[in-house]
Amino acid sequence: MSSFDRPTLTIPARFGSERSVAIAVLAVLAAVSFLPVLMTPIPAMVDYPNHLARMYILSQNGTPDANPHYEVAWAFYPNLGMDLLVPQLARLMSVENATRLFLLLSQLLIVGGALLLEWARKGRVQLAGFAALAVLYCLPFSWGFVNFEFGLGLALSGIAIYLLLAEGPWPLRFVANMLFVAALYAAHFFSLGIYGATLGLYELSRIRRQGIAYRVAAARLGALALPALVLFGIMQMTAGSIGSEGTSWFFGFKPVWPLRILNGYNLTAAAATGLALMISLLFAARRGVLRLAPAGTWLAIGFALLYLVIPSKLFGTAFVDLRVIPAAALILPAFSSLTLPSRAWRTAALAAISSIILINLAIVLAVWLPYRADYAAIIASFQKIERGSRVLVGSMGDNGDPPFADLTSYPMYYAPTLAVHYANAFVPNLFTEAGKQPVRPREGVRNLAIPYGGPVPSELLAAIATNQSPAGVPPFVRTWYRDFDYLYVLGPPAANPLPDLLEVLDTSERFVLYKIHRRPSTDAAAAPQG
């Protein structure tokens, strides 16, 4: 790898103390950034309780405590990072601690992978550690896309290893690539895509700069793609899948997400810190102190185009385009160099990025720590549910989409799914989508399952129960008052909307638990079918 291809920053000896200070600051910021996971038994991430519930099912499968409503069905498909690892870890510790350890490992992979990638490119670290901490609780990660976070951290390490072997013997490079492709396929499909896109763009950037023959370049690109093509072929032959159908674009959000990416709980703080960071980077670029290597330019343009053209929902997975942003933020620092002209500039830059990291971390702690009581309250409420029951989840909002007016309420959306463990219950919101999770409802309740969806609006439930349901009511709730035994309504406590049907069993600041007094089946059969 030529010196032109590997931008370096030469630091004079008089800057040694400043570099030591920067490393010390990075170490302290890293230590405090991992505290939220260490201090909270159940991190307040939207999808996390749902993932934890699934880990209980997988860990207890085949035991006397197995949930009667679900069965484990493995197939050859991706997105299985935690599903493969957590049950094995749970043999040594509790399922709750094993799941939290997986999350912590994912964060360590993000930070460590970014540092390793920058070291592989520059022979030293400079920007990547701070960039990794800045996005450690960005919107995709704080919303609980845990398999993606784990896979992306693994992809960073894979890219670094490939770059270290780029000029070495091709068999060694091929084997390393094959191993990482297999691991990334199992961990998370989109992380495999990031890995492949990064290395593909990197190889393309070298064709003209280094005079590589097109035949050689084609061979290198083919060797990169071959393991993935083999895996996809096996998936097709074994009736595996990546996810469900469903692809859509939401172009109106694409200009917004880059400014709202840094924090998943407070969009105002995310916009303020994101705008400050973007202005600082643009200013540094215009002054010539921040530069991209030629390969970095290819990667920046490639990530920008990928973000613009990729669907917002792909194979039934939401917020796909959003995931490109942290991937780019973690990879591009390795292909960048920053040369600040004076000690004052260096101090200001260190203070600015540290402030952004600490602001976002403070918001995370302000949300996560109170949720310890909220999650404890809902776990205590499961004791009032008869074991083996069916539990429906409703909300005071209009639908199951993110409540952008108050994202601090969002981590409660899937907390009732923990009833699958604490009450051996059936909860239709548990993630059981073929191609994503190796758990599915048994035949008797499969028609009531929501493979990927949030709570049902309480207004809709009330309309159905009073024979005023609108057209197009989903089949799984058309006769909810007959099919389910209990109802959680998420949100602040409110007056019982159906006192003849619902009996209040428990309340907290974030939910109300009702016992459903089932109506006779003849009444249910007369209900409108939408």
Side-chain angles (χ1 to χ4, degrees):
M1 188 176 297
S2 67
S3 59
F4 180 79
D5 195 47
R6 288 181 57 181
T8 60
L9 177 63
T10 302
I11 298 184
R14 66 179 181 274
F15 294 158
S17 61
E18 294 179 28
R19 184 179 180 186
S20 298
V21 170
I23 292 174
V25 170
L26 178 63
V28 172
L29 290 174
V32 297
S33 293
F34 298 132
L35 282 179
V37 177
L38 298 174
M39 296 172 62
T40 49
I42 302 178
M45 309 164 83
V46 183
D47 289 355
Y48 189 91
N50 205 314
H51 292 317
L52 177 58
R54 191 174 73 257
M55 294 305 103
Y56 277 119
I57 292 176
L58 290 172
S59 300
Q60 296 168 349
N61 182 50
T63 71
D65 296 325
N67 188 296
H69 299 293
Y70 297 94
E71 59 188 6
V72 176
W74 295 98
F76 194 85
Y77 48 69
N79 306 326
L80 297 177
M82 68 188 314
D83 302 80
L84 293 171
L85 293 180
V86 171
Q88 304 307 315
L89 293 172
R91 296 181 178 182
L92 307 174
M93 62 191 76
S94 69
V95 175
E96 185 179 274
N97 285 337
T99 308
R100 194 155 48 112
L101 179 59
F102 179 84
L103 172 59
L104 183 61
L105 176 61
S106 301
Q107 292 185 328
L108 289 170
L109 280 172
I110 288 292
V111 178
L115 291 172
L116 178 62
L117 176 57
E118 187 174 36
W119 179 82
R121 282 284 301 169
K122 302 177 182 178
R124 57 181 295 272
V125 295
Q126 179 194 21
L127 307 174
F130 293 101
L133 295 179
V135 302
L136 194 60
Y137 293 98
C138 69
L139 196 151
F141 297 160
S142 61
W143 279 7
F145 302 167
V146 184
N147 275 338
F148 168 66
E149 184 173 2
F150 176 82
L152 183 56
L154 193 62
L156 295 174
S157 298
I159 296 167
I161 297 299
Y162 184 91
L163 296 185
L164 289 172
L165 301 175
E167 304 301 332
W170 73 263
L172 185 59
R173 186 172 62 250
F174 180 82
V175 170
N177 176 60
M178 180 177 63
L179 292 176
F180 274 102
V181 167
L184 288 168
Y185 177 89
H188 196 274
F189 176 73
F190 191 68
S191 298
L192 173 59
I194 292 294
Y195 169 86
T198 301
L199 294 184
L201 289 167
Y202 173 78
E203 289 291 352
L204 289 173
S205 74
R206 302 202 315 158
I207 294 177
R208 181 170 298 179
R209 289 200 330 274
Q210 297 186 2
I212 297 177
Y214 287 106
R215 184 175 59 183
V216 175
R220 294 175 72 105
L221 291 172
L224 270 175
L226 181 60
L229 294 175
V230 171
L231 288 173
F232 291 145
I234 295 174
M235 182 184 71
Q236 292 295 323
M237 290 187 294
T238 59
S241 64
I242 295 173
S244 65
E245 297 181 0
T247 299
S248 54
W249 284 262
F250 300 103
F251 290 105
F253 284 98
K254 288 186 182 289
V256 176
W257 289 133
L259 287 176
R260 297 292 180 90
I261 190 70
L262 285 184
N263 194 283
Y265 304 106
N266 188 312
L267 295 184
T268 300
T273 54
L275 186 61
L277 183 59
M278 291 180 66
I279 291 175
S280 300
L281 293 175
L282 289 173
F283 178 75
R286 287 182 63 86
R287 292 294 297 266
V289 298
L290 177 65
R291 295 183 179 90
L292 281 173
T297 302
W298 276 74
L299 288 168
I301 294 173
F303 283 133
L305 292 175
L306 179 62
Y307 175 71
L308 290 175
V309 303
I310 198 168
S312 302
K313 185 177 182 180
L314 180 65
F315 300 128
T317 299
F319 304 108
V320 174
D321 52 353
L322 196 60
R323 307 175 196 222
V324 177
I325 302 174
L330 291 164
I331 293 170
L332 288 178
F335 297 85
S336 308
S337 62
L338 181 67
T339 311
L340 298 176
S342 68
R343 181 173 184 175
W345 276 63
R346 291 186 289 275
T347 302
L350 184 61
I353 189 62
S354 299
S355 298
I356 289 173
I357 293 170
L358 290 174
I359 288 171
N360 287 320
L361 180 62
I363 293 172
V364 169
L365 287 170
V367 174
W368 284 29
L369 294 182
Y371 258 99
R372 293 184 299 185
D374 295 320
Y375 287 147
I378 199 166
I379 289 174
S381 73
F382 297 145
Q383 303 302 317
K384 302 179 180 180
I385 295 176
E386 184 178 351
R387 294 185 65 81
S389 300
R390 301 177 182 182
V391 178
L392 182 62
V393 184
S395 72
M396 297 300 295
D398 294 333
N399 52 50
D401 293 331
F404 289 111
D406 179 20
L407 284 172
T408 61
S409 65
Y410 203 20
M412 202 68 184
Y413 268 39
Y414 293 112
T417 58
L418 291 172
V420 304
H421 166 64
Y422 288 97
N424 257 12
F426 168 75
V427 185
N429 307 85
L430 183 73
F431 295 159
T432 56
E433 188 171 355
K436 294 182 183 179
Q437 291 88 29
V439 171
R440 65 185 181 189
R442 294 190 182 275
E443 186 65 32
V445 292
R446 197 167 297 169
N447 63 311
L448 302 177
I450 313 171
Y452 189 86
V456 183
S458 57
E459 294 84 354
L460 176 60
L461 296 178
I464 294 172
T466 56
N467 295 331
Q468 299 176 13
S469 60
V473 173
F476 64 87
V477 293
R478 286 177 181 169
T479 55
W480 65 268
Y481 43 79
R482 185 187 69 185
D483 297 325
F484 292 92
D485 306 294
Y486 298 90
L487 170 68
Y488 277 96
V489 176
L490 304 178
N496 188 340
L498 301 165
D500 294 336
L501 180 64
L502 303 176
E503 174 189 354
V504 177
L505 295 184
D506 200 356
T507 62
S508 83
E509 293 182 358
R510 294 194 181 275
F511 70 86
V512 179
L513 170 62
Y514 295 100
K515 167 72 175 178
I516 301 173
H517 295 288
R518 293 187 176 185
R519 291 178 176 175
S521 59
T522 54
D523 180 43
Q529 298 300 302

